[in-house]
PDB file of all heavy atoms in Angstrom:
ATOM      1  N   GLY A  52     -49.859 -24.756 -94.981  1.00 91.00           N
ATOM      2  CA  GLY A  52     -49.666 -24.494 -96.400  1.00 91.00           C
ATOM      3  C   GLY A  52     -50.449 -23.280 -96.874  1.00 91.00           C
ATOM      4  O   GLY A  52     -50.212 -22.770 -97.973  1.00 91.00           O
ATOM      5  N   ASP A  53     -51.370 -22.799 -96.067  1.00 92.00           N
ATOM      6  CA  ASP A  53     -52.168 -21.613 -96.359  1.00 92.00           C
ATOM      7  C   ASP A  53     -51.712 -20.511 -95.402  1.00 92.00           C
ATOM      8  O   ASP A  53     -52.100 -20.493 -94.231  1.00 92.00           O
ATOM      9  CB  ASP A  53     -53.647 -21.939 -96.156  1.00 92.00           C
ATOM     10  CG  ASP A  53     -54.578 -20.785 -96.510  1.00 92.00           C
ATOM     11  OD1 ASP A  53     -54.145 -19.625 -96.430  1.00 92.00           O
ATOM     12  OD2 ASP A  53     -55.750 -21.054 -96.829  1.00 92.00           O
ATOM     13  N   ALA A  54     -50.870 -19.612 -95.880  1.00 93.00           N
ATOM     14  CA  ALA A  54     -50.271 -18.581 -95.027  1.00 93.00           C
ATOM     15  C   ALA A  54     -51.328 -17.718 -94.344  1.00 93.00           C
ATOM     16  O   ALA A  54     -51.177 -17.342 -93.170  1.00 93.00           O
ATOM     17  CB  ALA A  54     -49.330 -17.711 -95.843  1.00 93.00           C
ATOM     18  N   GLU A  55     -52.390 -17.410 -95.053  1.00 94.00           N
ATOM     19  CA  GLU A  55     -53.449 -16.574 -94.471  1.00 94.00           C
ATOM     20  C   GLU A  55     -54.140 -17.298 -93.322  1.00 94.00           C
ATOM     21  O   GLU A  55     -54.410 -16.717 -92.261  1.00 94.00           O
ATOM     22  CB  GLU A  55     -54.471 -16.204 -95.546  1.00 94.00           C
ATOM     23  CG  GLU A  55     -55.559 -15.255 -95.051  1.00 94.00           C
ATOM     24  CD  GLU A  55     -56.520 -14.826 -96.154  1.00 94.00           C
ATOM     25  OE1 GLU A  55     -56.235 -15.108 -97.339  1.00 94.00           O
ATOM     26  OE2 GLU A  55     -57.562 -14.231 -95.810  1.00 94.00           O
ATOM     27  N   LEU A  56     -54.413 -18.596 -93.512  1.00 92.00           N
ATOM     28  CA  LEU A  56     -55.066 -19.374 -92.471  1.00 92.00           C
ATOM     29  C   LEU A  56     -54.147 -19.550 -91.265  1.00 92.00           C
ATOM     30  O   LEU A  56     -54.591 -19.447 -90.116  1.00 92.00           O
ATOM     31  CB  LEU A  56     -55.474 -20.743 -93.013  1.00 92.00           C
ATOM     32  CG  LEU A  56     -56.140 -21.709 -92.028  1.00 92.00           C
ATOM     33  CD1 LEU A  56     -57.390 -21.083 -91.418  1.00 92.00           C
ATOM     34  CD2 LEU A  56     -56.471 -23.024 -92.721  1.00 92.00           C
ATOM     35  N   ALA A  57     -52.869 -19.805 -91.525  1.00 94.00           N
ATOM     36  CA  ALA A  57     -51.912 -19.961 -90.422  1.00 94.00           C
ATOM     37  C   ALA A  57     -51.830 -18.683 -89.597  1.00 94.00           C
ATOM     38  O   ALA A  57     -51.778 -18.722 -88.360  1.00 94.00           O
ATOM     39  CB  ALA A  57     -50.544 -20.334 -90.966  1.00 94.00           C
ATOM     40  N   ALA A  58     -51.830 -17.538 -90.274  1.00 95.00           N
ATOM     41  CA  ALA A  58     -51.784 -16.251 -89.568  1.00 95.00           C
ATOM     42  C   ALA A  58     -53.065 -16.014 -88.772  1.00 95.00           C
ATOM     43  O   ALA A  58     -53.030 -15.487 -87.654  1.00 95.00           O
ATOM     44  CB  ALA A  58     -51.566 -15.129 -90.565  1.00 95.00           C
ATOM     45  N   LYS A  59     -54.187 -16.416 -89.336  1.00 95.00           N
ATOM     46  CA  LYS A  59     -55.470 -16.269 -88.640  1.00 95.00           C
ATOM     47  C   LYS A  59     -55.489 -17.106 -87.365  1.00 95.00           C
ATOM     48  O   LYS A  59     -55.948 -16.652 -86.315  1.00 95.00           O
ATOM     49  CB  LYS A  59     -56.602 -16.699 -89.571  1.00 95.00           C
ATOM     50  CG  LYS A  59     -57.988 -16.599 -88.946  1.00 95.00           C
ATOM     51  CD  LYS A  59     -59.068 -17.051 -89.926  1.00 95.00           C
ATOM     52  CE  LYS A  59     -60.450 -17.005 -89.283  1.00 95.00           C
ATOM     53  NZ  LYS A  59     -61.506 -17.476 -90.230  1.00 95.00           N
ATOM     54  N   ASN A  60     -54.958 -18.319 -87.458  1.00 95.00           N
ATOM     55  CA  ASN A  60     -54.913 -19.186 -86.272  1.00 95.00           C
ATOM     56  C   ASN A  60     -53.981 -18.620 -85.204  1.00 95.00           C
ATOM     57  O   ASN A  60     -54.275 -18.668 -84.013  1.00 95.00           O
ATOM     58  CB  ASN A  60     -54.455 -20.592 -86.671  1.00 95.00           C
ATOM     59  CG  ASN A  60     -55.490 -21.329 -87.486  1.00 95.00           C
ATOM     60  OD1 ASN A  60     -56.692 -21.084 -87.352  1.00 95.00           O
ATOM     61  ND2 ASN A  60     -55.045 -22.239 -88.342  1.00 95.00           N
ATOM     62  N   ALA A  61     -52.861 -18.073 -85.634  1.00 97.00           N
ATOM     63  CA  ALA A  61     -51.919 -17.463 -84.692  1.00 97.00           C
ATOM     64  C   ALA A  61     -52.569 -16.283 -83.975  1.00 97.00           C
ATOM     65  O   ALA A  61     -52.389 -16.100 -82.762  1.00 97.00           O
ATOM     66  CB  ALA A  61     -50.662 -17.013 -85.423  1.00 97.00           C
ATOM     67  N   ALA A  62     -53.334 -15.492 -84.706  1.00 97.00           N
ATOM     68  CA  ALA A  62     -53.998 -14.325 -84.120  1.00 97.00           C
ATOM     69  C   ALA A  62     -55.078 -14.730 -83.123  1.00 97.00           C
ATOM     70  O   ALA A  62     -55.415 -13.958 -82.211  1.00 97.00           O
ATOM     71  CB  ALA A  62     -54.606 -13.470 -85.227  1.00 97.00           C
ATOM     72  N   GLN A  63     -55.594 -15.944 -83.252  1.00 96.00           N
ATOM     73  CA  GLN A  63     -56.643 -16.422 -82.350  1.00 96.00           C
ATOM     74  C   GLN A  63     -56.088 -16.791 -80.968  1.00 96.00           C
ATOM     75  O   GLN A  63     -56.826 -16.829 -79.983  1.00 96.00           O
ATOM     76  CB  GLN A  63     -57.340 -17.647 -82.972  1.00 96.00           C
ATOM     77  CG  GLN A  63     -58.368 -18.325 -82.090  1.00 96.00           C
ATOM     78  CD  GLN A  63     -59.556 -17.434 -81.742  1.00 96.00           C
ATOM     79  OE1 GLN A  63     -59.954 -16.582 -82.523  1.00 96.00           O
ATOM     80  NE2 GLN A  63     -60.101 -17.630 -80.544  1.00 96.00           N
ATOM     81  N   THR A  64     -54.789 -17.027 -80.882  1.00 98.00           N
ATOM     82  CA  THR A  64     -54.202 -17.395 -79.594  1.00 98.00           C
ATOM     83  C   THR A  64     -54.027 -16.164 -78.709  1.00 98.00           C
ATOM     84  O   THR A  64     -54.024 -15.026 -79.186  1.00 98.00           O
ATOM     85  CB  THR A  64     -52.825 -18.055 -79.778  1.00 98.00           C
ATOM     86  OG1 THR A  64     -51.885 -17.083 -80.260  1.00 98.00           O
ATOM     87  CG2 THR A  64     -52.884 -19.212 -80.765  1.00 98.00           C
ATOM     88  N   CYS A  65     -53.853 -16.398 -77.422  1.00 98.00           N
ATOM     89  CA  CYS A  65     -53.548 -15.296 -76.502  1.00 98.00           C
ATOM     90  C   CYS A  65     -52.101 -14.836 -76.668  1.00 98.00           C
ATOM     91  O   CYS A  65     -51.785 -13.667 -76.424  1.00 98.00           O
ATOM     92  CB  CYS A  65     -53.774 -15.743 -75.056  1.00 98.00           C
ATOM     93  SG  CYS A  65     -55.480 -16.126 -74.643  1.00 98.00           S
ATOM     94  N   ILE A  66     -51.236 -15.758 -77.057  1.00 97.00           N
ATOM     95  CA  ILE A  66     -49.812 -15.443 -77.195  1.00 97.00           C
ATOM     96  C   ILE A  66     -49.519 -14.703 -78.493  1.00 97.00           C
ATOM     97  O   ILE A  66     -48.632 -13.847 -78.548  1.00 97.00           O
ATOM     98  CB  ILE A  66     -48.981 -16.742 -77.111  1.00 97.00           C
ATOM     99  CG1 ILE A  66     -49.064 -17.322 -75.700  1.00 97.00           C
ATOM    100  CG2 ILE A  66     -47.525 -16.510 -77.493  1.00 97.00           C
ATOM    101  CD1 ILE A  66     -48.361 -18.649 -75.531  1.00 97.00           C
ATOM    102  N   GLY A  67     -50.259 -15.030 -79.560  1.00 98.00           N
ATOM    103  CA  GLY A  67     -50.073 -14.351 -80.829  1.00 98.00           C
ATOM    104  C   GLY A  67     -49.209 -15.102 -81.829  1.00 98.00           C
ATOM    105  O   GLY A  67     -48.735 -14.519 -82.796  1.00 98.00           O
ATOM    106  N   ARG A  68     -49.012 -16.390 -81.605  1.00 97.00           N
ATOM    107  CA  ARG A  68     -48.243 -17.184 -82.564  1.00 97.00           C
ATOM    108  C   ARG A  68     -48.708 -18.636 -82.508  1.00 97.00           C
ATOM    109  O   ARG A  68     -49.340 -19.081 -81.551  1.00 97.00           O
ATOM    110  CB  ARG A  68     -46.746 -17.129 -82.263  1.00 97.00           C
ATOM    111  CG  ARG A  68     -46.323 -17.786 -80.937  1.00 97.00           C
ATOM    112  CD  ARG A  68     -44.808 -17.879 -80.814  1.00 97.00           C
ATOM    113  NE  ARG A  68     -44.374 -18.417 -79.524  1.00 97.00           N
ATOM    114  CZ  ARG A  68     -44.276 -19.712 -79.233  1.00 97.00           C
ATOM    115  NH1 ARG A  68     -44.615 -20.622 -80.137  1.00 97.00           N
ATOM    116  NH2 ARG A  68     -43.855 -20.097 -78.034  1.00 97.00           N
ATOM    117  N   ASN A  69     -48.361 -19.376 -83.550  1.00 97.00           N
ATOM    118  CA  ASN A  69     -48.604 -20.812 -83.556  1.00 97.00           C
ATOM    119  C   ASN A  69     -47.477 -21.513 -82.801  1.00 97.00           C
ATOM    120  O   ASN A  69     -46.468 -20.903 -82.453  1.00 97.00           O
ATOM    121  CB  ASN A  69     -48.699 -21.328 -84.991  1.00 97.00           C
ATOM    122  CG  ASN A  69     -49.955 -20.838 -85.691  1.00 97.00           C
ATOM    123  OD1 ASN A  69     -51.058 -20.928 -85.147  1.00 97.00           O
ATOM    124  ND2 ASN A  69     -49.805 -20.313 -86.897  1.00 97.00           N
ATOM    125  N   GLY A  70     -47.647 -22.804 -82.554  1.00 97.00           N
ATOM    126  CA  GLY A  70     -46.687 -23.538 -81.749  1.00 97.00           C
ATOM    127  C   GLY A  70     -45.423 -23.930 -82.482  1.00 97.00           C
ATOM    128  O   GLY A  70     -45.436 -24.139 -83.697  1.00 97.00           O
ATOM    129  N   ASP A  71     -44.321 -24.025 -81.741  1.00 96.00           N
ATOM    130  CA  ASP A  71     -43.083 -24.648 -82.207  1.00 96.00           C
ATOM    131  C   ASP A  71     -42.994 -26.015 -81.543  1.00 96.00           C
ATOM    132  O   ASP A  71     -43.511 -26.212 -80.435  1.00 96.00           O
ATOM    133  CB  ASP A  71     -41.859 -23.810 -81.815  1.00 96.00           C
ATOM    134  CG  ASP A  71     -41.849 -22.461 -82.519  1.00 96.00           C
ATOM    135  OD1 ASP A  71     -42.266 -22.407 -83.693  1.00 96.00           O
ATOM    136  OD2 ASP A  71     -41.447 -21.465 -81.887  1.00 96.00           O
ATOM    137  N   LEU A  72     -42.317 -26.950 -82.185  1.00 95.00           N
ATOM    138  CA  LEU A  72     -42.253 -28.307 -81.647  1.00 95.00           C
ATOM    139  C   LEU A  72     -41.743 -28.335 -80.205  1.00 95.00           C
ATOM    140  O   LEU A  72     -42.200 -29.128 -79.388  1.00 95.00           O
ATOM    141  CB  LEU A  72     -41.377 -29.192 -82.538  1.00 95.00           C
ATOM    142  CG  LEU A  72     -41.965 -29.534 -83.916  1.00 95.00           C
ATOM    143  CD1 LEU A  72     -41.002 -30.435 -84.682  1.00 95.00           C
ATOM    144  CD2 LEU A  72     -43.322 -30.211 -83.792  1.00 95.00           C
ATOM    145  N   GLN A  73     -40.809 -27.454 -79.877  1.00 96.00           N
ATOM    146  CA  GLN A  73     -40.246 -27.465 -78.518  1.00 96.00           C
ATOM    147  C   GLN A  73     -41.292 -27.082 -77.466  1.00 96.00           C
ATOM    148  O   GLN A  73     -41.139 -27.401 -76.280  1.00 96.00           O
ATOM    149  CB  GLN A  73     -39.057 -26.517 -78.435  1.00 96.00           C
ATOM    150  CG  GLN A  73     -39.406 -25.048 -78.631  1.00 96.00           C
ATOM    151  CD  GLN A  73     -38.178 -24.147 -78.572  1.00 96.00           C
ATOM    152  OE1 GLN A  73     -37.053 -24.625 -78.607  1.00 96.00           O
ATOM    153  NE2 GLN A  73     -38.416 -22.853 -78.497  1.00 96.00           N
ATOM    154  N   ASP A  74     -42.380 -26.421 -77.879  1.00 98.00           N
ATOM    155  CA  ASP A  74     -43.399 -26.002 -76.922  1.00 98.00           C
ATOM    156  C   ASP A  74     -44.145 -27.179 -76.294  1.00 98.00           C
ATOM    157  O   ASP A  74     -44.722 -27.047 -75.220  1.00 98.00           O
ATOM    158  CB  ASP A  74     -44.416 -25.077 -77.601  1.00 98.00           C
ATOM    159  CG  ASP A  74     -43.828 -23.740 -78.013  1.00 98.00           C
ATOM    160  OD1 ASP A  74     -42.977 -23.231 -77.270  1.00 98.00           O
ATOM    161  OD2 ASP A  74     -44.217 -23.210 -79.066  1.00 98.00           O
ATOM    162  N   ILE A  75     -44.135 -28.330 -76.974  1.00 98.00           N
ATOM    163  CA  ILE A  75     -44.857 -29.489 -76.451  1.00 98.00           C
ATOM    164  C   ILE A  75     -44.015 -30.293 -75.474  1.00 98.00           C
ATOM    165  O   ILE A  75     -44.540 -31.097 -74.699  1.00 98.00           O
ATOM    166  CB  ILE A  75     -45.321 -30.395 -77.619  1.00 98.00           C
ATOM    167  CG1 ILE A  75     -46.483 -31.309 -77.183  1.00 98.00           C
ATOM    168  CG2 ILE A  75     -44.173 -31.244 -78.163  1.00 98.00           C
ATOM    169  CD1 ILE A  75     -47.799 -30.626 -77.040  1.00 98.00           C
ATOM    170  N   LEU A  76     -42.695 -30.071 -75.483  1.00 98.00           N
ATOM    171  CA  LEU A  76     -41.793 -30.966 -74.763  1.00 98.00           C
ATOM    172  C   LEU A  76     -41.910 -30.845 -73.248  1.00 98.00           C
ATOM    173  O   LEU A  76     -41.936 -31.853 -72.538  1.00 98.00           O
ATOM    174  CB  LEU A  76     -40.348 -30.727 -75.202  1.00 98.00           C
ATOM    175  CG  LEU A  76     -40.094 -30.901 -76.701  1.00 98.00           C
ATOM    176  CD1 LEU A  76     -38.605 -30.748 -77.002  1.00 98.00           C
ATOM    177  CD2 LEU A  76     -40.604 -32.251 -77.202  1.00 98.00           C
ATOM    178  N   GLY A  77     -41.968 -29.627 -72.713  1.00 98.00           N
ATOM    179  CA  GLY A  77     -42.090 -29.445 -71.264  1.00 98.00           C
ATOM    180  C   GLY A  77     -43.340 -30.106 -70.715  1.00 98.00           C
ATOM    181  O   GLY A  77     -43.273 -30.900 -69.759  1.00 98.00           O
ATOM    182  N   PRO A  78     -44.521 -29.808 -71.278  1.00 98.00           N
ATOM    183  CA  PRO A  78     -45.739 -30.461 -70.799  1.00 98.00           C
ATOM    184  C   PRO A  78     -45.688 -31.985 -70.911  1.00 98.00           C
ATOM    185  O   PRO A  78     -46.143 -32.696 -70.016  1.00 98.00           O
ATOM    186  CB  PRO A  78     -46.833 -29.871 -71.699  1.00 98.00           C
ATOM    187  CG  PRO A  78     -46.305 -28.524 -72.087  1.00 98.00           C
ATOM    188  CD  PRO A  78     -44.827 -28.734 -72.249  1.00 98.00           C
ATOM    189  N   ALA A  79     -45.122 -32.486 -72.022  1.00 98.00           N
ATOM    190  CA  ALA A  79     -45.055 -33.935 -72.213  1.00 98.00           C
ATOM    191  C   ALA A  79     -44.148 -34.585 -71.183  1.00 98.00           C
ATOM    192  O   ALA A  79     -44.503 -35.603 -70.571  1.00 98.00           O
ATOM    193  CB  ALA A  79     -44.575 -34.255 -73.624  1.00 98.00           C
ATOM    194  N   LEU A  80     -42.969 -34.015 -70.962  1.00 98.00           N
ATOM    195  CA  LEU A  80     -42.036 -34.595 -69.999  1.00 98.00           C
ATOM    196  C   LEU A  80     -42.589 -34.514 -68.574  1.00 98.00           C
ATOM    197  O   LEU A  80     -42.357 -35.410 -67.755  1.00 98.00           O
ATOM    198  CB  LEU A  80     -40.679 -33.907 -70.099  1.00 98.00           C
ATOM    199  CG  LEU A  80     -39.895 -34.209 -71.382  1.00 98.00           C
ATOM    200  CD1 LEU A  80     -38.620 -33.378 -71.443  1.00 98.00           C
ATOM    201  CD2 LEU A  80     -39.555 -35.695 -71.490  1.00 98.00           C
ATOM    202  N   PHE A  81     -43.311 -33.445 -68.276  1.00 98.00           N
ATOM    203  CA  PHE A  81     -43.958 -33.348 -66.969  1.00 98.00           C
ATOM    204  C   PHE A  81     -44.912 -34.520 -66.754  1.00 98.00           C
ATOM    205  O   PHE A  81     -44.887 -35.198 -65.715  1.00 98.00           O
ATOM    206  CB  PHE A  81     -44.709 -32.022 -66.851  1.00 98.00           C
ATOM    207  CG  PHE A  81     -45.724 -31.981 -65.743  1.00 98.00           C
ATOM    208  CD1 PHE A  81     -45.326 -32.027 -64.409  1.00 98.00           C
ATOM    209  CD2 PHE A  81     -47.082 -31.909 -66.024  1.00 98.00           C
ATOM    210  CE1 PHE A  81     -46.274 -32.000 -63.380  1.00 98.00           C
ATOM    211  CE2 PHE A  81     -48.028 -31.883 -65.007  1.00 98.00           C
ATOM    212  CZ  PHE A  81     -47.615 -31.924 -63.679  1.00 98.00           C
ATOM    213  N   LEU A  82     -45.758 -34.792 -67.747  1.00 98.00           N
ATOM    214  CA  LEU A  82     -46.745 -35.854 -67.608  1.00 98.00           C
ATOM    215  C   LEU A  82     -46.116 -37.249 -67.634  1.00 98.00           C
ATOM    216  O   LEU A  82     -46.734 -38.212 -67.167  1.00 98.00           O
ATOM    217  CB  LEU A  82     -47.803 -35.742 -68.708  1.00 98.00           C
ATOM    218  CG  LEU A  82     -48.721 -34.526 -68.625  1.00 98.00           C
ATOM    219  CD1 LEU A  82     -49.698 -34.511 -69.788  1.00 98.00           C
ATOM    220  CD2 LEU A  82     -49.477 -34.481 -67.296  1.00 98.00           C
ATOM    221  N   CYS A  83     -44.891 -37.345 -68.160  1.00 98.00           N
ATOM    222  CA  CYS A  83     -44.188 -38.630 -68.198  1.00 98.00           C
ATOM    223  C   CYS A  83     -43.362 -38.890 -66.948  1.00 98.00           C
ATOM    224  O   CYS A  83     -42.850 -40.000 -66.759  1.00 98.00           O
ATOM    225  CB  CYS A  83     -43.249 -38.687 -69.410  1.00 98.00           C
ATOM    226  SG  CYS A  83     -44.070 -38.865 -71.007  1.00 98.00           S
TER     227      CYS A  83
END
């Protein structure tokens, strides 16, 4: 809800963006 904070968090990653829901699915299905 805070666009500035969301952008700051995205910049902190190595990839340069925040997560999308689909990003969790591969790791989760692997562990299942």
Side-chain angles (χ1 to χ4, degrees):
D53 183 333
E55 184 176 350
L56 178 57
K59 180 180 178 181
N60 290 332
Q63 175 63 32
T64 68
C65 295
I66 292 176
R68 66 171 176 84
N69 291 311
D71 294 324
L72 290 181
Q73 65 181 12
D74 293 324
I75 201 74
L76 302 185
L80 290 175
F81 163 67
L82 292 179
C83 288

